[in-house]
RNA sequence: GGCGGCGUGGCCAAGUGGUAAGGCAAGAGUCUGCAAAACUCUGAUCAGCGGUUCGAUUCCGCUCGCCGCCUCCA
Protein backbone atom coordinates (compact mmCIF):
# COMPACT_ATOMS: atom_id res chain seq x y z
CA UNK A 1 0.00 0.00 0.00
CA UNK A 2 1.51 3.27 -1.07
CA UNK A 3 1.40 6.57 0.74
CA UNK A 4 0.21 9.28 -1.58
CA UNK A 5 0.65 13.01 -0.98
CA UNK A 6 -0.77 15.95 -2.87
CA UNK A 7 2.18 17.80 -4.35
CA UNK A 8 1.63 21.49 -5.05
CA UNK A 9 4.33 21.36 -7.72
CA UNK A 10 2.39 18.92 -9.87
CA UNK A 11 -1.07 19.50 -8.42
CA UNK A 12 -1.49 15.79 -8.10
CA UNK A 13 -1.31 13.13 -5.49
CA UNK A 14 2.02 11.38 -5.78
CA UNK A 15 3.46 8.35 -4.14
CA UNK A 16 6.04 9.20 -1.53
CA UNK A 17 9.36 7.76 -2.70
CA UNK A 18 12.03 9.09 -0.36
CA UNK A 19 15.43 9.94 -1.71
CA UNK A 20 16.94 7.50 0.75
CA UNK A 21 14.82 4.43 1.38
CA UNK A 22 13.28 4.43 4.80
CA UNK A 23 14.24 8.01 5.54
CA UNK A 24 12.19 11.17 5.07
CA UNK A 25 13.81 14.59 5.25
CA UNK A 26 11.21 17.22 5.86
CA UNK A 27 11.18 20.97 6.31
CA UNK A 28 8.29 23.17 7.37
CA UNK A 29 8.27 26.96 7.41
CA UNK A 30 8.21 28.06 11.02
CA UNK A 31 6.84 31.15 12.70
CA UNK A 32 8.15 34.67 12.84
CA UNK A 33 8.42 35.13 16.57
CA UNK A 34 7.20 38.62 17.28
CA UNK A 35 3.73 37.84 18.64
CA UNK A 36 1.72 35.08 20.30
CA UNK A 37 0.89 31.99 18.26
CA UNK A 38 -2.78 31.70 17.27
CA UNK A 39 -5.21 29.07 16.03
CA UNK A 40 -3.90 29.47 12.50
CA UNK A 41 -0.47 28.33 13.66
CA UNK A 42 -2.14 25.57 15.61
CA UNK A 43 -3.78 24.17 12.50
CA UNK A 44 -0.63 24.28 10.48
CA UNK A 45 1.72 22.76 13.00
CA UNK A 46 -0.78 20.25 14.35
CA UNK A 47 -1.38 19.07 10.78
CA UNK A 48 2.30 18.68 10.02
CA UNK A 49 2.78 17.02 13.38
CA UNK A 50 0.25 14.46 12.21
CA UNK A 51 2.25 13.98 9.03
CA UNK A 52 5.46 13.40 10.96
CA UNK A 53 3.78 11.08 13.43
CA UNK A 54 2.18 9.00 10.72
CA UNK A 55 5.38 8.74 8.71
CA UNK A 56 7.17 7.54 11.83
CA UNK A 57 4.35 5.15 12.61
CA UNK A 58 4.82 3.72 9.15
CA UNK A 59 8.44 3.11 9.96
CA UNK A 60 10.16 6.02 8.28
CA UNK A 61 13.11 7.63 9.96
CA UNK A 62 11.98 11.25 9.78
CA UNK A 63 14.30 14.21 10.16
CA UNK A 64 12.05 17.18 10.78
CA UNK A 65 13.42 20.70 10.53
CA UNK A 66 11.38 23.80 11.21
CA UNK A 67 12.92 27.24 11.32
CA UNK A 68 12.43 30.11 13.70
CA UNK A 69 12.39 33.44 11.90
CA UNK A 70 13.94 36.06 14.10
CA UNK A 71 15.13 38.58 11.54
CA UNK A 72 14.37 39.78 8.04
CA UNK A 73 10.62 39.38 7.95
CA UNK A 74 9.28 42.71 6.75
CA UNK A 75 5.97 44.23 7.73
CA UNK A 76 4.93 45.33 4.31
CA UNK A 77 6.14 45.48 0.78
CA UNK A 78 9.40 43.66 0.35
CA UNK A 79 11.25 46.88 -0.31
CA UNK A 80 9.57 49.48 1.79
CA UNK A 81 8.64 47.48 4.87
CA UNK A 82 10.21 47.39 8.23
CA UNK A 83 11.49 44.34 10.03
CA UNK A 84 8.63 42.99 12.13
CA UNK A 85 10.84 42.02 15.02
CA UNK A 86 12.61 45.34 15.04
CA UNK A 87 9.43 47.34 15.00
CA UNK A 88 7.78 45.42 17.81
CA UNK A 89 10.95 45.60 19.88
CA UNK A 90 11.14 49.33 19.41
CA UNK A 91 7.49 49.76 20.40
CA UNK A 92 8.17 47.88 23.61
CA UNK A 93 11.54 49.46 24.16
CA UNK A 94 13.34 46.19 24.50
CA UNK A 95 16.15 44.57 22.61
CA UNK A 96 15.04 42.59 19.57
CA UNK A 97 16.62 39.43 20.90
CA UNK A 98 14.70 39.76 24.15
CA UNK A 99 11.49 39.92 22.18
CA UNK A 100 12.47 36.97 20.01
CA UNK A 101 13.50 34.86 22.95
CA UNK A 102 10.23 35.51 24.71
CA UNK A 103 7.96 34.65 21.80
CA UNK A 104 10.01 31.68 20.76
CA UNK A 105 9.53 30.20 24.21
CA UNK A 106 5.83 31.02 24.08
CA UNK A 107 5.61 29.29 20.73
CA UNK A 108 7.13 26.10 22.05
CA UNK A 109 5.07 26.22 25.21
CA UNK A 110 1.80 26.52 23.29
CA UNK A 111 2.62 23.80 20.79
CA UNK A 112 3.83 21.52 23.56
CA UNK A 113 0.43 21.98 25.15
CA UNK A 114 -1.20 20.85 21.91
CA UNK A 115 0.94 17.71 22.02
CA UNK A 116 2.89 18.77 18.96
CA UNK A 117 6.24 17.01 18.87
CA UNK A 118 9.15 19.39 18.64
CA UNK A 119 11.06 19.43 15.38
CA UNK A 120 14.39 17.63 15.45
CA UNK A 121 16.08 20.90 14.59
CA UNK A 122 14.70 24.42 15.12
CA UNK A 123 17.29 26.57 13.40
CA UNK A 124 17.13 30.32 13.88
CA UNK A 125 17.78 32.71 11.06
CA UNK A 126 20.17 34.85 13.07
CA UNK A 127 22.31 31.79 13.70
CA UNK A 128 22.77 31.13 9.99
CA UNK A 129 23.91 34.42 8.53
CA UNK A 130 27.16 32.95 7.16
CA UNK A 131 25.25 30.19 5.36
CA UNK A 132 22.95 32.76 3.82
CA UNK A 133 25.84 34.95 2.73
CA UNK A 134 27.48 31.93 1.08
CA UNK A 135 24.31 31.12 -0.79
CA UNK A 136 23.84 34.71 -1.91
CA UNK A 137 27.42 34.84 -3.11
CA UNK A 138 26.91 31.69 -5.08
CA UNK A 139 23.88 33.24 -6.74
CA UNK A 140 25.79 36.37 -7.64
CA UNK A 141 28.61 34.33 -9.14
CA UNK A 142 26.13 32.32 -11.18
CA UNK A 143 24.53 35.46 -12.53
CA UNK A 144 21.25 34.99 -10.71
CA UNK A 145 21.61 37.95 -8.37
CA UNK A 146 22.97 41.47 -8.54
CA UNK A 147 24.07 44.15 -6.12
CA UNK A 148 22.47 47.57 -6.00
CA UNK A 149 23.40 50.14 -3.39
CA UNK A 150 24.33 47.56 -0.80
CA UNK A 151 21.23 45.49 -1.47
CA UNK A 152 21.32 42.18 -3.25
CA UNK A 153 18.38 41.14 -5.38
CA UNK A 154 17.49 37.88 -7.02
CA UNK A 155 17.01 38.27 -10.74
CA UNK A 156 13.79 36.41 -11.49
CA UNK A 157 14.31 36.65 -15.24
CA UNK A 158 17.45 34.56 -14.85
CA UNK A 159 15.34 31.64 -13.66
CA UNK A 160 12.92 30.74 -16.46
CA UNK A 161 11.01 28.35 -14.29
CA UNK A 162 10.06 31.12 -11.87
CA UNK A 163 6.40 30.59 -11.02
CA UNK A 164 6.40 26.82 -11.41
CA UNK A 165 5.41 26.14 -7.81
CA UNK A 166 2.55 28.61 -7.49
CA UNK A 167 1.69 28.19 -11.18
CA UNK A 168 1.76 31.85 -12.00
CA UNK A 169 3.18 33.78 -14.84
CA UNK A 170 5.05 36.91 -14.00
CA UNK A 171 3.46 38.92 -16.77
CA UNK A 172 -0.01 38.09 -15.53
CA UNK A 173 0.45 39.47 -12.07
CA UNK A 174 -0.18 42.95 -10.84
CA UNK A 175 3.25 43.11 -9.37
CA UNK A 176 4.78 46.42 -8.76
CA UNK A 177 1.57 48.14 -9.66
CA UNK A 178 1.64 50.09 -6.42
CA UNK A 179 5.24 50.72 -5.68
CA UNK A 180 6.80 50.43 -9.07
CA UNK A 181 10.50 49.78 -9.27
CA UNK A 182 12.48 50.38 -6.15
CA UNK A 183 15.77 52.05 -6.77
CA UNK A 184 18.15 49.60 -8.31
CA UNK A 185 15.68 46.79 -8.87
CA UNK A 186 15.52 45.56 -12.42
CA UNK A 187 12.20 43.76 -12.26
CA UNK A 188 9.31 44.36 -9.87
CA UNK A 189 9.31 40.69 -8.93
CA UNK A 190 13.00 40.65 -8.06
CA UNK A 191 13.25 40.04 -4.36
CA UNK A 192 15.79 40.98 -1.75
CA UNK A 193 18.37 38.45 -0.69
CA UNK A 194 20.26 40.96 1.38
CA UNK A 195 19.23 44.38 2.61
CA UNK A 196 21.63 47.18 3.41
CA UNK A 197 21.22 48.63 6.88
CA UNK A 198 22.35 51.94 8.23
CA UNK A 199 24.06 52.19 11.62
CA UNK A 200 20.77 52.89 13.41
CA UNK A 201 19.60 49.44 12.51
CA UNK A 202 20.23 47.27 15.55
CA UNK A 203 20.22 43.90 13.86
CA UNK A 204 22.85 43.93 11.16
CA UNK A 205 25.79 41.90 10.06
CA UNK A 206 28.85 42.51 7.94
CA UNK A 207 28.77 41.11 4.47
CA UNK A 208 30.72 41.41 1.23
CA UNK A 209 28.16 44.06 0.24
CA UNK A 210 28.38 46.06 3.41
CA UNK A 211 26.49 45.96 6.69
CA UNK A 212 22.96 44.65 6.43
CA UNK A 213 20.58 41.82 7.15
CA UNK A 214 19.16 38.93 5.14
CA UNK A 215 15.89 38.93 3.23
CA UNK A 216 13.14 36.73 4.52
CA UNK A 217 13.15 33.99 1.90
CA UNK A 218 16.82 33.16 1.89
CA UNK A 219 16.84 31.74 5.41
CA UNK A 220 14.61 28.82 4.52
CA UNK A 221 16.79 27.87 1.57
CA UNK A 222 20.01 28.11 3.52
CA UNK A 223 18.80 26.27 6.58
CA UNK A 224 16.83 23.52 4.88
CA UNK A 225 19.69 22.65 2.58
CA UNK A 226 22.20 22.79 5.41
CA UNK A 227 20.41 20.23 7.51
CA UNK A 228 18.51 18.14 4.99
CA UNK A 229 20.75 18.21 1.94
CA UNK A 230 20.23 20.25 -1.18
CA UNK A 231 17.47 18.00 -2.40
CA UNK A 232 15.09 16.70 0.23
CA UNK A 233 11.75 14.94 0.37
CA UNK A 234 9.01 17.17 1.76
CA UNK A 235 8.62 20.89 2.26
CA UNK A 236 5.52 22.10 4.07
CA UNK A 237 4.00 25.52 4.69
CA UNK A 238 0.71 27.35 4.91
CA UNK A 239 -0.83 28.20 1.53
CA UNK A 240 -0.43 31.83 2.37
CA UNK A 241 3.29 31.26 2.03
CA UNK A 242 3.03 29.68 -1.39
CA UNK A 243 3.60 32.99 -3.09
CA UNK A 244 5.93 34.69 -2.95
CA UNK A 245 7.82 33.03 -0.12
CA UNK A 246 7.93 29.41 -1.29
CA UNK A 247 8.21 30.37 -4.94
CA UNK A 248 11.23 32.47 -4.12
CA UNK A 249 12.71 29.65 -2.10
CA UNK A 250 12.49 27.35 -5.09
CA UNK A 251 13.99 29.94 -7.41
CA UNK A 252 16.96 30.91 -5.29
CA UNK A 253 17.67 27.32 -4.25
CA UNK A 254 17.46 25.66 -7.62
CA UNK A 255 19.29 28.51 -9.33
CA UNK A 256 22.17 27.80 -6.96
CA UNK A 257 22.20 24.00 -6.90
CA UNK A 258 21.09 23.25 -10.47
CA UNK A 259 18.90 20.41 -9.36
CA UNK A 260 15.60 19.94 -7.56
CA UNK A 261 15.15 21.51 -4.16
CA UNK A 262 12.16 20.04 -2.27
CA UNK A 263 10.55 17.14 -4.12
CA UNK A 264 7.08 17.31 -2.60
CA UNK A 265 5.49 20.56 -1.51
CA UNK A 266 2.62 20.35 0.94
CA UNK A 267 0.40 23.34 1.66
CA UNK A 268 -1.93 23.72 4.56
CA UNK A 269 -5.29 25.47 4.36
CA UNK A 270 -5.85 28.64 6.32
CA UNK A 271 -8.05 29.25 9.31
CA UNK A 272 -10.93 31.63 8.67
CA UNK A 273 -12.77 33.83 11.12
CA UNK A 274 -16.09 35.22 9.94
CA UNK A 275 -15.09 34.33 6.41
CA UNK A 276 -11.74 36.06 6.63
CA UNK A 277 -8.30 34.64 7.14
CA UNK A 278 -7.09 34.67 10.71
CA UNK A 279 -3.77 36.43 10.81
CA UNK A 280 -1.55 38.41 13.04
CA UNK A 281 -1.58 41.40 10.77
CA UNK A 282 -5.38 41.49 10.62
CA UNK A 283 -5.61 41.22 14.37
CA UNK A 284 -8.62 38.91 14.15
CA UNK A 285 -6.86 36.04 15.81
CA UNK A 286 -7.62 33.82 18.75
CA UNK A 287 -4.43 32.79 20.47
CA UNK A 288 -3.68 29.15 21.17
CA UNK A 289 -3.80 29.93 24.88
CA UNK A 290 -7.32 31.32 24.54
CA UNK A 291 -8.39 28.33 22.49
CA UNK A 292 -7.02 25.91 25.05
CA UNK A 293 -8.57 27.83 27.87
CA UNK A 294 -11.98 27.70 26.23
CA UNK A 295 -11.95 24.13 25.00
CA UNK A 296 -8.98 22.21 26.29
CA UNK A 297 -5.91 21.29 24.30
CA UNK A 298 -7.01 17.83 23.19
CA UNK A 299 -10.37 19.04 21.96
CA UNK A 300 -8.75 21.83 20.01
CA UNK A 301 -6.37 19.35 18.47
CA UNK A 302 -9.22 17.00 17.66
CA UNK A 303 -11.03 19.87 15.98
CA UNK A 304 -8.05 20.47 13.73
CA UNK A 305 -7.66 16.79 12.93
CA UNK A 306 -11.35 16.50 12.09
CA UNK A 307 -10.91 18.46 8.88
CA UNK A 308 -8.49 17.85 6.05
CA UNK A 309 -5.19 19.70 6.25
CA UNK A 310 -5.64 21.26 2.83
CA UNK A 311 -9.15 22.53 3.53
CA UNK A 312 -9.75 25.95 4.97
CA UNK A 313 -11.04 25.75 8.51
CA UNK A 314 -13.71 28.16 9.66
CA UNK A 315 -13.07 28.77 13.31
CA UNK A 316 -16.02 29.22 15.63
CA UNK A 317 -16.23 28.34 19.29
CA UNK A 318 -19.42 26.42 18.59
CA UNK A 319 -17.67 24.21 16.05
CA UNK A 320 -14.83 23.47 18.44
CA UNK A 321 -17.26 22.69 21.22
CA UNK A 322 -19.11 20.32 18.92
CA UNK A 323 -15.87 18.59 18.01
CA UNK A 324 -15.18 18.36 21.71
CA UNK A 325 -18.29 16.29 22.25
CA UNK A 326 -17.21 13.96 19.48
CA UNK A 327 -13.83 13.62 21.13
CA UNK A 328 -15.57 12.74 24.35
CA UNK A 329 -17.25 9.81 22.66
CA UNK A 330 -13.87 8.23 22.05
CA UNK A 331 -12.77 8.94 25.60
CA UNK A 332 -15.90 7.27 26.95
CA UNK A 333 -15.35 4.21 24.80
CA UNK A 334 -11.90 3.77 26.31
CA UNK A 335 -13.23 4.29 29.81
CA UNK A 336 -16.08 1.85 29.25
CA UNK A 337 -13.61 -0.72 27.99
CA UNK A 338 -11.54 -0.37 31.14
CA UNK A 339 -14.62 -0.82 33.29
CA UNK A 340 -15.78 -3.80 31.29
CA UNK A 341 -12.50 -5.54 31.87
CA UNK A 342 -13.01 -5.22 35.62
CA UNK A 343 -16.30 -7.09 35.56
CA UNK A 344 -16.46 -10.66 36.85
CA UNK A 345 -16.06 -12.78 33.76
CA UNK A 346 -17.63 -16.03 32.71
CA UNK A 347 -15.61 -18.47 30.65
CA UNK A 348 -16.06 -18.62 26.92
CA UNK A 349 -17.07 -15.91 24.50
CA UNK A 350 -14.56 -17.00 21.90
CA UNK A 351 -16.85 -16.54 18.93
CA UNK A 352 -17.80 -12.97 19.88
CA UNK A 353 -14.18 -12.20 20.65
CA UNK A 354 -13.16 -13.42 17.22
CA UNK A 355 -15.77 -11.20 15.63
CA UNK A 356 -14.52 -8.19 17.56
CA UNK A 357 -10.95 -8.92 16.54
CA UNK A 358 -12.03 -8.95 12.93
CA UNK A 359 -13.62 -5.54 13.45
CA UNK A 360 -10.47 -4.21 15.05
CA UNK A 361 -8.48 -5.29 12.04
CA UNK A 362 -11.02 -3.86 9.63
CA UNK A 363 -10.99 -0.45 11.23
CA UNK A 364 -7.23 -0.42 11.56
CA UNK A 365 -6.97 -0.99 7.83
CA UNK A 366 -9.52 1.73 7.16
CA UNK A 367 -7.44 4.08 9.28
CA UNK A 368 -4.30 3.31 7.31
CA UNK A 369 -6.05 3.62 3.99
CA UNK A 370 -7.35 7.03 4.98
CA UNK A 371 -3.97 8.27 6.15
CA UNK A 372 -2.24 6.84 3.10
CA UNK A 373 -4.54 8.94 0.96
CA UNK A 374 -2.93 12.32 1.51
CA UNK A 375 -3.33 12.19 5.27
CA UNK A 376 -7.10 12.10 5.30
CA UNK A 377 -7.48 12.55 9.03
CA UNK A 378 -11.29 13.02 8.99
CA UNK A 379 -11.69 9.64 7.33
CA UNK A 380 -9.13 8.16 9.71
CA UNK A 381 -11.15 9.46 12.64
CA UNK A 382 -14.27 7.92 11.13
CA UNK A 383 -12.50 4.57 11.39
CA UNK A 384 -11.82 5.23 15.06
CA UNK A 385 -15.49 6.04 15.62
CA UNK A 386 -16.38 2.78 13.94
CA UNK A 387 -14.07 0.94 16.29
CA UNK A 388 -15.53 2.78 19.27
CA UNK A 389 -19.03 1.72 18.29
CA UNK A 390 -17.95 -1.92 18.11
CA UNK A 391 -16.40 -1.64 21.53
CA UNK A 392 -19.46 0.02 23.01
CA UNK A 393 -21.68 -2.70 21.66
CA UNK A 394 -19.73 -5.22 23.68
CA UNK A 395 -19.09 -3.20 26.79
CA UNK A 396 -22.71 -2.11 27.17
CA UNK A 397 -23.52 -5.62 28.36
CA UNK A 398 -23.79 -6.08 32.11
CA UNK A 399 -21.87 -9.34 32.06
CA UNK A 400 -18.52 -10.21 30.59
CA UNK A 401 -16.68 -13.19 29.23
CA UNK A 402 -13.00 -13.89 29.55
CA UNK A 403 -12.34 -13.95 25.84
CA UNK A 404 -14.30 -10.78 25.18
CA UNK A 405 -12.53 -8.92 27.94
CA UNK A 406 -9.29 -9.83 26.25
CA UNK A 407 -10.56 -8.68 22.85
CA UNK A 408 -11.98 -5.47 24.28
CA UNK A 409 -8.58 -4.79 25.74
CA UNK A 410 -7.08 -5.18 22.30
CA UNK A 411 -9.68 -2.89 20.78
CA UNK A 412 -8.97 -0.26 23.40
CA UNK A 413 -5.25 -0.59 22.84
CA UNK A 414 -5.76 -0.15 19.12
CA UNK A 415 -7.89 2.92 19.63
CA UNK A 416 -5.26 4.47 21.87
CA UNK A 417 -2.43 3.51 19.56
CA UNK A 418 -4.06 4.97 16.45
CA UNK A 419 -5.16 8.03 18.41
CA UNK A 420 -1.55 8.57 19.36
CA UNK A 421 -0.63 8.55 15.67
CA UNK A 422 -2.82 11.63 15.41
CA UNK A 423 -1.41 12.99 18.64
CA UNK A 424 -4.72 12.44 20.40
CA UNK A 425 -4.96 10.91 23.83
CA UNK A 426 -8.30 9.38 24.78
CA UNK A 427 -7.29 8.28 28.23
CA UNK A 428 -8.78 10.02 31.22
CA UNK A 429 -6.18 12.26 32.79
CA UNK A 430 -4.39 10.29 35.47
CA UNK A 431 -4.93 11.78 38.92
CA UNK A 432 -1.90 12.68 40.94
CA UNK A 433 -0.95 10.19 43.63
CA UNK A 434 -1.95 12.62 46.37
CA UNK A 435 -5.16 13.64 44.62
CA UNK A 436 -8.02 13.16 47.04
CA UNK A 437 -10.73 13.72 44.46
CA UNK A 438 -11.16 10.12 43.28
CA UNK A 439 -11.29 8.84 46.83
CA UNK A 440 -13.75 11.50 47.92
CA UNK A 441 -15.97 10.85 44.95
CA UNK A 442 -15.93 7.12 45.66
CA UNK A 443 -16.87 7.88 49.23
CA UNK A 444 -19.82 10.01 48.19
CA UNK A 445 -20.93 7.44 45.68
CA UNK A 446 -20.96 4.67 48.23
CA UNK A 447 -23.05 6.83 50.57
CA UNK A 448 -25.32 7.59 47.66
CA UNK A 449 -25.69 3.88 46.95
CA UNK A 450 -26.97 3.37 50.47
CA UNK A 451 -29.49 6.15 49.96
CA UNK A 452 -30.61 4.59 46.72
CA UNK A 453 -31.09 1.25 48.38
CA UNK A 454 -33.25 3.01 50.95
CA UNK A 455 -35.16 4.50 48.02
CA UNK A 456 -34.19 7.94 49.21
CA UNK A 457 -33.87 9.16 45.66
CA UNK A 458 -34.20 12.83 46.53
CA UNK A 459 -31.01 12.73 48.56
CA UNK A 460 -29.26 10.50 46.04
CA UNK A 461 -30.11 12.89 43.23
CA UNK A 462 -28.97 15.81 45.31
CA UNK A 463 -25.53 14.25 45.56
CA UNK A 464 -25.47 13.61 41.86
CA UNK A 465 -26.47 17.18 40.99
CA UNK A 466 -24.03 18.70 43.40
CA UNK A 467 -21.23 16.58 42.00
CA UNK A 468 -22.22 17.61 38.54
CA UNK A 469 -21.85 21.23 39.56
CA UNK A 470 -18.31 20.36 40.54
CA UNK A 471 -17.64 18.80 37.15
CA UNK A 472 -18.19 15.17 38.12
CA UNK A 473 -20.69 13.24 36.03
CA UNK A 474 -22.22 10.23 37.76
CA UNK A 475 -23.66 7.35 35.77
CA UNK A 476 -25.51 4.45 37.32
CA UNK A 477 -24.89 1.14 35.66
CA UNK A 478 -26.31 -2.29 36.39
CA UNK A 479 -23.12 -3.33 38.13
CA UNK A 480 -22.82 -0.11 40.10
CA UNK A 481 -22.20 3.61 39.71
CA UNK A 482 -19.39 5.05 37.68
CA UNK A 483 -18.16 8.59 37.24
CA UNK A 484 -16.06 10.77 35.01
CA UNK A 485 -14.94 14.33 34.82
CA UNK A 486 -17.01 16.65 32.71
CA UNK A 487 -15.56 17.99 29.50
CA UNK A 488 -13.70 21.25 29.42
C1' G B 1 -7.12 41.76 -14.24
C1' G B 2 -4.20 36.82 -13.34
C1' C B 3 -3.82 32.14 -10.66
C1' G B 4 -6.06 28.72 -7.27
C1' G B 5 -9.90 26.86 -4.20
C1' C B 6 -14.75 26.37 -2.16
C1' G B 7 -20.41 25.91 -2.17
C1' U B 8 -22.55 18.13 0.41
C1' G B 9 -28.71 16.69 5.44
C1' G B 10 -30.20 21.84 11.11
C1' C B 11 -24.55 22.33 12.14
C1' C B 12 -19.25 20.40 11.43
C1' A B 13 -17.06 17.33 7.73
C1' A B 14 -15.14 13.10 4.24
C1' G B 15 -15.96 11.04 -0.52
C1' U B 16 -16.94 8.39 -5.33
C1' G B 17 -18.69 7.85 -12.85
C1' G B 18 -23.26 3.59 -10.91
C1' U B 19 -28.08 6.27 -6.76
C1' A B 20 -23.69 9.89 -0.59
C1' A B 21 -18.20 8.05 5.50
C1' G B 22 -18.10 9.91 10.29
C1' G B 23 -19.36 13.34 14.24
C1' C B 24 -22.69 16.98 16.69
C1' A B 25 -27.75 18.27 17.20
C1' A B 26 -33.03 16.28 16.67
C1' G B 27 -37.03 12.51 16.95
C1' A B 28 -38.53 7.31 18.30
C1' G B 29 -37.30 2.88 20.91
C1' U B 30 -34.24 -0.29 24.52
C1' C B 31 -31.90 0.14 29.31
C1' U B 32 -32.58 3.16 34.11
C1' G B 33 -36.15 4.82 40.36
C1' C B 34 -35.08 9.29 37.39
C1' A B 35 -31.03 10.71 34.70
C1' A B 36 -26.49 10.06 32.07
C1' A B 37 -23.85 7.06 28.86
C1' A B 38 -24.48 3.29 25.45
C1' C B 39 -27.13 0.46 21.79
C1' U B 40 -31.05 0.19 17.67
C1' C B 41 -33.87 2.95 14.17
C1' U B 42 -35.24 7.69 11.34
C1' G B 43 -33.33 12.07 7.80
C1' A B 44 -29.45 14.87 2.39
C1' U B 45 -29.63 13.43 -4.55
C1' C B 46 -24.60 16.89 -3.20
C1' A B 47 -25.46 26.04 -5.20
C1' G B 48 -28.15 26.74 -10.22
C1' C B 49 -28.36 25.81 -15.61
C1' G B 50 -26.58 23.16 -19.72
C1' G B 51 -23.24 19.28 -22.03
C1' U B 52 -20.49 14.41 -22.36
C1' U B 53 -22.13 9.38 -20.77
C1' C B 54 -26.18 3.64 -20.58
C1' G B 55 -25.61 6.42 -15.98
C1' A B 56 -22.65 12.40 -12.71
C1' U B 57 -22.81 14.84 -6.74
C1' U B 58 -18.16 13.10 -8.90
C1' C B 59 -15.83 14.94 -16.06
C1' C B 60 -16.57 19.62 -19.24
C1' G B 61 -18.84 24.63 -19.97
C1' C B 62 -21.58 28.73 -18.14
C1' U B 63 -24.07 31.48 -14.09
C1' C B 64 -24.55 32.90 -8.95
C1' G B 65 -22.34 33.25 -4.05
C1' C B 66 -17.93 32.92 -0.96
C1' C B 67 -12.65 32.58 0.07
C1' G B 68 -7.23 32.57 -0.63
C1' C B 69 -2.82 34.43 -3.17
C1' C B 70 -0.92 38.25 -6.52
C1' U B 71 2.20 43.42 -0.27
C1' C B 72 3.14 40.97 5.57
C1' C B 73 0.95 36.44 7.59
C1' A B 74 1.09 29.10 9.37
Amino acid sequence: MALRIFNTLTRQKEELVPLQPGRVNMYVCGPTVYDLPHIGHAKSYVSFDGVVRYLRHRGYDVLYVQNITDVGHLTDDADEGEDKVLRRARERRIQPMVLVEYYMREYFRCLDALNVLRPDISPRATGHIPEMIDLIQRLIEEGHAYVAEGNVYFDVTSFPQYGKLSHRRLDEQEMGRRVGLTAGKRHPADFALWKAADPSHIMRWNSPWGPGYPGWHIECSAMSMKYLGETFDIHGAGVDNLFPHNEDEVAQSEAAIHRPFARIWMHNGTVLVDGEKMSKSKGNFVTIDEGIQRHGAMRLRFYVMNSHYRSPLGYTDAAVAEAGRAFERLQIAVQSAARYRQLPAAPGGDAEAGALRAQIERHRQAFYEAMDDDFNTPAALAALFGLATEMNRVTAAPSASVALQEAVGQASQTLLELGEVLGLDFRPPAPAADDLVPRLVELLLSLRQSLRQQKNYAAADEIRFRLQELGIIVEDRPEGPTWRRAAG
Side-chain angles (χ1 to χ4, degrees), chain A residues 7 183 236 293-294:
Chain A
N7 187 353
Q293 197 179 355
R294 288 181 206 168

Side-chain angles (χ1 to χ4, degrees), chain A residues 409-464:
Chain A
Q410 287 176 22
S412 186
Q413 273 306 111
T414 302
L415 192 58
L416 291 173
E417 178 195 348
L418 297 181
E420 183 63 23
V421 173
L422 302 177
L424 298 171
D425 188 351
F426 308 129
R427 293 171 303 180
D434 59 350
D435 187 355
L436 275 175
V437 170
R439 280 178 281 169
L440 291 174
V441 172
E442 297 293 341
L443 174 63
L444 282 168
L445 289 189
S446 80
L447 290 173
R448 177 168 170 275
Q449 277 305 85
S450 305
L451 292 168
R452 290 182 72 208
Q453 275 155 19
Q454 295 159 25
K455 305 248 191 270
N456 187 348
Y457 293 121
D461 287 346
E462 176 74 10
I463 290 176
R464 190 173 69 203

Side-chain angles (χ1 to χ4, degrees), chain A residues 197-218:
Chain A
D198 62 53
S200 70
H201 208 96
I202 301 176
M203 293 202 290
R204 61 200 184 109
W205 291 262
N206 287 127
S207 80
W209 321 286
Y213 59 97
W216 174 37
H217 316 302
I218 195 71

Side-chain angles (χ1 to χ4, degrees), chain A residues 20-51:
Chain A
Q20 305 167 55
R23 181 179 184 101
V24 173
N25 282 181
M26 170 165 164
Y27 185 90
V28 170
C29 286
T32 301
V33 282
Y34 73 101
D35 207 340
L36 292 171
H38 56 66
I39 304 292
H41 300 101
K43 170 169 163 65
S44 194
Y45 298 120
V46 163
S47 294
F48 285 118
D49 184 56
V51 169

Side-chain angles (χ1 to χ4, degrees), chain A residues 17 109 132 187 203 222 246 272 294 356 398 436 469:
Chain A
V17 183
R109 181 180 64 75
M132 294 189 235
H187 184 108
M203 293 202 290
N246 296 151
L272 306 173
R294 288 181 206 168
L356 181 55
L436 275 175
E469 284 169 15

Side-chain angles (χ1 to χ4, degrees), chain A residues 103-120:
Chain A
Y103 283 115
M104 186 176 70
R105 290 172 193 170
E106 283 297 292
Y107 172 73
F108 283 123
R109 181 180 64 75
C110 289
L111 293 199
D112 285 350
L114 289 173
N115 201 24
V116 171
L117 300 172
R118 294 208 180 181
D120 296 302

Side-chain angles (χ1 to χ4, degrees), chain A residues 126-142:
Chain A
T126 51
H128 296 77
I129 304 293
E131 286 84 351
M132 294 189 235
I133 289 176
D134 283 350
L135 185 55
I136 294 168
Q137 217 148 15
R138 204 160 149 190
L139 288 168
I140 294 174
E141 285 161 14
E142 303 252 2

